[in-house]
Amino acid sequence: MPASLVVWILSALLLVGVLTQRWWEPRLEARGVRPRQWPVRWWLVGYPSTALRIVTTWRRLAYLNGLSVSTAPDRRVIGRDLVVQGQALKPKPPRLSWPVPTATGLTLRVLLHPGQTPAPYYAAARAMEHTWRVHNVRVTSPRRGQVVIHVTAMDPLAGVVPSVRGPAAALLSADVGRTEDGEPWLIDLRRVPHWLVTGATQSGKSSLLAALVLALAPQRVALVGVDCKGGMELGLFGGRFSALAIDRTQAVGLLSRVVDEIQHRMSVCRSWGKRSVWELPDDQRPVPLVVIVDELAELYLTDGSRESRDEAEQCGTLLLRIAQLGAALGVHLVIAGQRVGSDIGPRVTALRAQLGGRVAHRVHDEASAEMTLGDINADAVVTAQNITEDEQGVAVVAMGGRWMRARSHLVSTAEAAEVGRSDPPVNPFLTQPDPVTFEKGGVAA
């Protein structure tokens, strides 16, 4: 088919689509499809130019970054007093698939030469970004003998990510923002039961906690908060919390009550012969309980007195017990703080090891990022350090051995007040009737 005919056909289809937009657009929206959110400009303009740039530069890029391999055997030239050993010139670049467009970029598959490993491709990711003039390149290896190159053409995290109130995909699943792939950022507490959120002041930790509360509020989930900043952050959500401790003395009582609840749920599962509350009948299953702690360091700081040290040590013990025992019993822990090192108090390192989900916002030093992401991936640590002050809410999210950049929803004060006027689930604590009250030592008031 002549190229001119293909151009005429595509132009005619585009014209028909524009002229009939008022007819097909509302019908697609009625089926849940949002045509206005389609990246039409990227598909029509950005993708063709980027794909052409990738195809035309791949051979030289592979050669300069050591991705090409010579298939000819080694050559040896023997002279009178000289032996030269080397490989033949004209190395062959690896086979590259045609770029497949996505909403924010494109993906490519590369077949490795025999004997190659993905390591050189990981190292060449920055060179690919500059050569192809794109925002970000990430390399993965889902199968043996193959690597996948994920190209993000433009930053999907630029600008404010407004909050979206909608039905949750599943219980304890929260849409808290957007990832760098342009997809929703979901925190699934059934899959990853405990989370750690770190970052410097004004980096977006409180915004993420607010987005989490906003997403969990419509669900049949009990929320319990510890906010030792006088309740200035979590207190905005008012009555939606089943209990809220605003100083360390109250925190000791509340955390003790949560540990008692865990013990009671253990006895319920034991009586039914089950290993978790999720195996219980629906009418016997207790309400899931999410414990949110803002500013972890406030629970560990002491003034040197014996009573203060005892309180700090008790908080560390209680949090560690909740993290170790709570997952199978429907009790989940979300902890936020600027640092999570052993320098702030005892048992912090052991607590951090129990928190499988990691979120690192902007940090001031490498050590802070290392504490959160160092055991996940070294590249994630570098990425967290590169977050600027203008990117409030942007964070590096790590779970299950993989990581990505994401940005949390911006929750307004009015939205927080609306959530605060809602009611928590009735009787979330099996060991104590609603409402929950507490004193130091966990004694009910």
Side-chain angles (χ1 to χ4, degrees):
M1 181 181 295
S4 59
L5 182 58
V6 175
V7 173
W8 277 106
I9 293 175
L10 293 177
S11 300
L13 291 176
L14 180 61
L15 180 60
V16 171
V18 172
L19 294 178
T20 60
Q21 182 178 1
R22 292 185 178 181
W23 177 84
W24 54 261
E25 186 174 14
R27 285 168 172 76
L28 289 178
E29 290 183 349
R31 295 176 178 269
V33 181
R34 300 290 184 264
R36 294 185 181 275
Q37 298 179 0
W38 291 349
V40 178
R41 179 178 176 83
W42 159 247
W43 287 341
L44 295 179
V45 180
Y47 164 70
S49 60
T50 304
L52 181 61
R53 191 179 302 119
I54 291 174
V55 172
T56 55
T57 61
W58 175 246
R59 177 178 292 274
R60 183 161 182 80
L61 175 69
Y63 175 75
L64 293 177
N65 289 274
L67 307 181
S68 299
V69 175
S70 175
T71 57
D74 292 350
R75 303 297 183 184
R76 178 171 298 177
V77 180
I78 304 177
R80 184 175 181 180
D81 297 315
L82 180 65
V83 176
V84 180
Q85 183 175 353
Q87 292 184 342
L89 299 179
K90 296 183 180 180
K92 182 180 179 181
R95 183 180 175 184
L96 182 70
S97 70
W98 182 257
V100 178
T102 62
T104 59
L106 49 87
T107 59
L108 312 104
R109 292 185 179 272
V110 180
L111 297 179
L112 302 181
H113 288 299
Q116 269 194 320
T117 64
Y121 293 84
Y122 298 149
R126 294 299 302 275
M128 297 177 190
E129 292 176 2
H130 290 278
T131 303
W132 299 337
R133 304 171 194 170
V134 294
H135 170 70
N136 182 50
V137 171
R138 179 176 297 175
V139 180
T140 61
S141 181
R143 297 176 58 185
R144 294 289 187 256
Q146 186 180 99
V147 298
V148 178
I149 302 175
H150 307 268
V151 177
T152 304
M154 45 204 157
D155 189 2
L157 305 182
V160 175
V161 182
S163 62
V164 178
R165 300 291 298 277
L171 182 65
L172 290 173
S173 177
D175 181 355
V176 298
R178 185 170 61 202
T179 67
E180 62 183 351
D181 297 330
E183 300 295 327
W185 174 12
L186 296 179
I187 290 182
D188 189 349
L189 295 175
R190 288 288 302 276
R191 183 179 178 184
V192 183
H194 306 309
W195 285 76
L196 173 65
V197 182
T198 63
T201 304
Q202 300 293 322
S203 63
K205 298 190 304 296
S206 297
S207 297
L208 176 56
L209 296 183
L212 178 63
V213 173
L214 186 69
L216 293 177
Q219 304 181 35
R220 190 171 180 269
V221 173
L223 301 177
V224 172
V226 176
D227 184 0
C228 291
K229 293 188 295 185
M232 290 191 302
E233 298 293 346
L234 300 181
L236 296 176
F237 297 95
R240 183 56 183 86
F241 274 82
S242 298
L244 178 63
I246 61 174
D247 58 42
R248 188 167 59 189
T249 300
Q250 292 185 0
V252 172
L254 177 56
L255 296 176
S256 298
R257 178 58 59 191
V258 173
V259 172
D260 292 342
E261 174 69 13
I262 289 175
Q263 298 287 349
H264 189 74
R265 294 187 181 196
M266 284 181 182
S267 64
V268 172
C269 291
R270 189 166 55 250
S271 65
W272 280 85
K274 305 297 183 181
R275 291 185 294 182
S276 76
V277 296
W278 305 110
E279 298 178 4
L280 296 174
D282 292 343
D283 58 344
Q284 297 295 324
R285 183 183 304 129
V287 177
L289 187 63
V290 180
V291 182
I292 301 177
V293 180
D294 196 9
E295 292 300 341
L296 176 68
E298 290 294 326
L299 297 179
Y300 289 88
L301 294 178
T302 67
D303 57 8
S305 65
R306 181 181 181 84
E307 182 180 6
S308 179
R309 292 197 303 269
D310 290 345
E311 276 189 350
E313 186 173 354
Q314 192 172 1
C315 282
T317 302
L318 293 171
L319 286 173
L320 184 56
R321 294 194 66 191
I322 294 172
Q324 289 177 333
L325 305 175
L329 301 167
V331 180
H332 306 274
L333 195 59
V334 180
I335 291 181
Q338 297 186 33
R339 292 177 61 85
V340 287
S342 58
D343 54 321
I344 70 172
R347 296 183 177 85
V348 172
T349 303
L351 174 63
R352 183 179 63 198
Q354 298 292 328
L355 308 177
R358 307 288 179 86
V359 181
H361 292 81
R362 174 177 52 84
V363 294
H364 293 312
D365 58 292
E366 181 181 359
S368 297
E370 184 75 25
M371 292 174 186
T372 309
L373 304 171
D375 53 350
I376 303 294
N377 190 287
D379 292 336
V381 176
V382 176
T383 303
Q385 292 180 264
N386 291 331
I387 300 175
T388 66
E389 294 183 356
D390 297 330
E391 296 177 300
Q392 186 175 9
V394 175
V396 176
V397 186
M399 58 180 178
R402 58 186 297 265
W403 62 274
M404 68 182 70
R405 292 173 71 248
R407 191 168 200 160
S408 58
H409 292 310
L410 179 63
V411 179
S412 65
T413 305
E415 289 175 315
E418 181 183 353
V419 172
R421 289 190 290 269
S422 60
D423 296 324
V426 178
N427 297 332
F429 282 75
L430 300 180
T431 53
Q432 184 175 346
D434 193 40
V436 177
T437 53
F438 45 85
E439 292 181 352
K440 181 179 177 181
V443 181

